[in-house]
Amino acid sequence: MPSPVRKFTMAAISNSLSLKQGPSLRTPLTGPHSSSTSSLGFRTIHRRCYAAFSNENREYVIVGGGNAAGYAARTFVEHGMADGRLCIVTKEAYAPYERPALTKAYLFPHDKKPARLPGFHTCVGSGGERQTPEWYQEKGIEMLYEDPVKNIDIEKQTLTTNSGKLLKYSSLIIATGCTASRFPEKIGGNLSGVHYIRDVADADALILSLEKAKKVVVVGGGYIGMEVAAAAVAWKLDTTIIFPEDHLLQRLFTPSLARRYEELYQKNGVKILKGASIKNLEAGSNGHVAAVKLGDGSIVEADTVIIGIGAKPAVSPFERVGLNKDVGGIQVDGQFRTSIPGIFAIGDVAAFPLKIYDRTARVEHVDHARRSAQHCVKALLSAQTHNYDYLPYFYSRVFEYEGSPRKVWWQFFGDNVGETVEIGNFDPKIASFWIESGKLKGVLLESGSPEEFQLLPKLARSQPPIDKAKLQNATSVEQALDIARESLQVEAAV
């Protein structure tokens, strides 16, 4: 049976990274496509010695433009090692941004205050400075947008981009994230009106469809499916979620917990078809998607279909660096070093030692993207030698648009193993506790207070012994959390 954290990684947990990119820093960017020149001071010695290289032999190169790249850039700046030394190569047309917004507020209707860039560039997601294109220019970081890397020469320490640029590096950080899993073309996966979401361009295309849509089908009952379906409700569209599992978010929710969320979605008008397989997507006479045909032969009409069935680590062209066949991605150690000296991997694409549970994992989540980037760069630039010690954390926020009768926000910390105890009536609070061998392993809380949410990681990391019977007899979420807090205090006193 696959481990719970491994199960999370199979289906792109909230969102994680995807990559694309814009012009050289020598362009004073008011947007990524400005073309005037700048007098930013690149060292003359670099120009003389390495004029053949498009990046003039930057010491550090980051490949990928998602969350991890943005947080890595900030850490380089904090150590005074960015100016004239760092180059970021991305396939997107935008500076790194907080990707979770794409399946949440970005999809809200125009009258519901949708999120838009530059509002959610990194690192605002963790309370940091908004790193707009101008920020990278001011910090002396060269940005190469819309030009993904297609080849690496490990021996010569060079990268070649799609446009033919040759980039030299001393240290390379791979932050390429994931790509969306797609339906095959032969069953309609590329039809007009069929959407996948990994970047701003994907989200923009979906919004254009939602503006004209009447019937929306969301394929997948995980994070993407739940968040996109909730956004479609804001557009007042006929919305159906279809997935093959027994209940929503099966890799985390228990059946009873999932039932609460399914009922909430149904109260918001969303139809749920679970345990259903899809035979193909059917096109109308205009070539646009018109229906979803299920395995049992039934038809669900749709003029817009969103596929959210997981993601795959974007390892090309870095296969030679060393892959992990069990969890996917590029194998790294506790400081995100690959098997090749001078090459690192962070974020969604990294298969790393999950120290707290003594296993290898690949985590597709913004929190890990941020933390892995910071840890990697600190290890690269400083005397930091301790290994990454990550505590798995997942969350979702849905129905947060203006006028929503109920905004939903849950958080989970730890490992979903063992037996579960569920407390609360989901009006609005509910909590689930995972207990294995008498110890508290994981906690999920819906609609908690800031103080309650702050308790969760302390519980999950300490894994205190807990009285299951006492927990089961709790009459409220607050009482259950008090029992867990007492267990934590007793553990600390021992």
Side-chain angles (χ1 to χ4, degrees):
M1 177 177 179
S3 70
V5 171
R6 187 175 301 170
K7 286 189 287 183
F8 291 142
T9 66
M10 290 177 181
I13 295 196
S14 177
N15 319 299
S16 236
L17 305 161
S18 191
L19 335 148
K20 305 176 186 174
Q21 292 97 66
S24 161
L25 228 197
R26 281 169 281 183
T27 307
L29 300 175
T30 55
H33 301 293
S34 301
S35 59
S36 55
T37 57
S38 160
S39 59
L40 282 173
F42 295 104
R43 293 183 179 86
T44 305
I45 185 171
H46 283 175
R47 268 198 274 263
R48 283 199 203 110
C49 297
Y50 299 103
F53 297 113
S54 297
N55 63 332
E56 298 184 359
N57 193 39
R58 297 287 171 263
E59 289 179 50
Y60 309 107
V61 174
I62 300 172
V63 178
N67 276 293
Y71 281 80
R74 182 177 72 175
T75 311
F76 273 107
V77 169
E78 290 169 348
H79 283 76
M81 298 294 285
D83 192 358
R85 297 180 175 188
L86 176 62
C87 176
I88 299 178
V89 191
T90 169
K91 68 180 182 181
E92 285 200 59
Y94 304 94
Y97 53 86
E98 304 284 356
R99 205 163 297 274
L102 296 180
T103 53
K104 298 178 178 69
Y106 200 89
L107 297 182
F108 291 173
H110 306 298
D111 63 343
K112 305 291 187 186
K113 296 184 179 179
R116 290 292 180 269
L117 290 173
F120 58 97
H121 279 299
T122 55
C123 296
V124 295
S126 62
E129 184 179 4
R130 182 179 291 115
Q131 296 171 195
T132 61
E134 292 85 357
W135 182 90
Y136 290 89
Q137 181 183 5
E138 291 165 1
K139 303 302 182 183
I141 300 170
E142 184 175 23
M143 297 292 294
L144 302 178
Y145 296 91
E146 298 184 285
D147 198 10
V149 170
K150 69 176 183 180
N151 188 46
I152 178 173
D153 188 321
I154 292 173
E155 289 71 26
K156 294 181 179 179
Q157 292 183 279
T158 59
L159 304 168
T160 306
T161 69
N162 268 5
S163 71
K165 289 185 176 70
L166 187 64
L167 309 177
K168 181 77 174 175
Y169 65 86
S170 295
S171 295
L172 171 66
I173 298 177
I174 303 168
T176 44
C178 287
T179 58
S181 297
R182 303 176 69 92
F183 271 15
E185 184 176 1
K186 65 182 180 182
I187 67 167
N190 294 342
L191 287 175
S192 171
V194 176
H195 298 269
Y196 306 84
I197 303 182
R198 291 303 296 183
D199 55 42
V200 166
D202 294 337
D204 285 342
L206 176 55
I207 290 168
L208 292 176
S209 282
L210 293 175
E211 289 173 344
K212 300 174 286 186
K214 294 182 179 179
K215 295 185 176 182
V216 173
V217 167
V218 180
V219 180
Y223 286 87
I224 299 295
M226 291 180 68
E227 292 175 357
V228 171
V233 168
W235 291 81
K236 297 181 171 60
L237 301 174
D238 181 323
T239 305
T240 303
I241 303 181
I242 301 173
F243 52 90
E245 296 85 9
D246 295 331
H247 58 75
L248 285 174
L249 200 57
Q250 190 163 15
R251 61 191 178 277
L252 175 59
F253 288 173
T254 62
S256 59
L257 184 62
R259 186 180 68 252
R260 308 279 193 165
Y261 286 95
E262 289 168 9
E263 290 171 353
L264 176 66
Y265 274 73
Q266 288 165 337
K267 285 179 182 177
N268 279 277
V270 178
K271 295 183 282 293
I272 298 176
L273 297 179
K274 48 189 174 180
S277 63
I278 293 176
K279 185 175 182 181
N280 63 277
L281 308 179
E282 298 189 343
S285 57
N286 60 356
H288 191 88
V289 69
V292 177
K293 187 174 184 178
L294 303 182
D296 63 7
S298 58
I299 296 291
V300 181
E301 293 183 352
D303 50 41
T304 298
V305 176
I306 303 99
I307 310 293
I309 55 172
K312 298 177 291 186
V315 296
S316 180
F318 303 108
E319 292 90 342
R320 281 187 59 205
V321 173
L323 305 183
N324 182 297
K325 294 181 180 179
D326 293 325
V327 301
I330 297 170
Q331 183 65 56
V332 297
D333 65 11
Q335 295 188 47
F336 297 95
R337 296 174 296 195
T338 70
S339 60
I340 308 297
I343 300 182
F344 304 76
I346 58 176
D348 296 14
V349 78
F352 66 96
L354 189 58
K355 183 177 178 180
I356 189 171
Y357 302 128
D358 191 26
R359 62 176 181 252
T360 298
R362 192 179 59 77
V363 177
E364 296 170 10
H365 193 270
V366 63
D367 181 63
H368 166 62
R370 295 166 178 165
R371 294 177 186 272
S372 64
Q374 294 164 333
H375 191 98
C376 173
V377 176
K378 287 177 182 177
L380 173 61
L381 299 180
S382 71
Q384 172 181 285
T385 58
H386 67 273
N387 288 327
Y388 188 57
D389 189 9
Y390 185 66
L391 176 67
Y393 161 57
F394 306 102
Y395 77 94
S396 188
R397 305 173 73 124
V398 292
F399 299 112
E400 286 197 306
Y401 49 84
E402 284 188 0
S404 171
R406 178 175 169 187
K407 297 174 173 61
V408 173
W409 183 18
W410 60 261
Q411 293 188 31
F412 167 83
F413 285 87
D415 205 6
N416 61 333
V417 293
E419 302 175 86
T420 56
V421 175
E422 186 177 295
I423 305 295
N425 58 8
F426 203 63
D427 186 27
K429 283 188 177 181
I430 196 167
S432 287
F433 302 83
W434 280 262
I435 302 170
E436 184 181 55
S437 302
K439 291 189 174 184
L440 185 59
K441 292 288 188 173
V443 190
L444 181 145
L445 176 62
E446 167 65 53
S447 300
S449 67
E451 294 75 20
E452 289 169 341
F453 280 137
Q454 289 169 11
L455 174 64
L456 305 189
K458 298 175 184 177
L459 293 170
R461 184 167 287 283
S462 295
Q463 303 176 44
I466 193 162
D467 188 329
K468 177 184 170 184
K470 187 176 181 181
L471 193 63
Q472 288 173 321
N473 290 328
T475 58
S476 68
V477 170
E478 289 81 2
Q479 186 181 9
L481 290 173
D482 283 340
I483 292 169
R485 187 181 289 107
E486 291 169 5
S487 298
L488 190 63
Q489 293 168 347
V490 169
E491 175 77 355
V494 172

